[in-house]
Amino acid sequence: RIDGLYEHLESVTETIRTRFLSERPEDAAARTFTFRANPNDVDAFKEELWQFLRAKMNELEEKARDEDAARTFSFYSGLSGKEETK
């Protein structure tokens, strides 16, 4: 878990550095979506989304296998319930 946390923080840090401090901010992207939903539906949504992401990344890696222009990218995703405030 610590290795995963380190990798996640490294990816987030690089996204922030690229987006706000580099000469090519368009090379990084970040989005936050906040929404209300039934927790059971969110569990299914999370699994569906992660399956799609894994399949798409595998497809992109296969396509780039012998391309000299290919680069390494880091994609991160997180999902958590928020404390309700009134």
Side-chain angles (χ1 to χ4, degrees):
R1 290 175 51 144
I2 294 298
D3 287 343
L5 176 61
Y6 175 79
E7 185 175 350
H8 178 77
L9 292 176
E10 188 177 61
S11 296
V12 171
T13 300
E14 185 59 21
T15 299
I16 292 168
R17 187 198 66 73
T18 303
R19 191 78 179 131
F20 295 104
L21 302 174
S22 78
E23 294 180 10
R24 294 189 48 88
E26 66 277 4
D27 286 351
R31 300 289 181 269
T32 300
F33 302 95
T34 302
F35 59 96
R36 290 184 56 82
N38 180 301
N40 293 329
D41 293 337
V42 171
D43 286 343
F45 167 70
K46 176 185 69 176
E47 290 307 316
E48 182 180 334
L49 179 61
W50 288 354
Q51 287 176 10
F52 168 79
L53 291 172
R54 283 185 201 107
K56 189 62 178 180
M57 284 182 235
N58 287 340
E59 176 186 318
L60 292 171
E61 279 193 312
E62 183 63 32
K63 183 178 175 184
R65 181 179 303 233
D66 297 321
E67 291 185 17
D68 291 337
R71 295 177 46 209
T72 299
F73 292 86
S74 182
F75 184 96
Y76 50 90
S77 176
L79 177 67
S80 65
K82 293 184 65 151
E83 292 293 322
E84 296 291 331
T85 58
K86 298 208 178 200

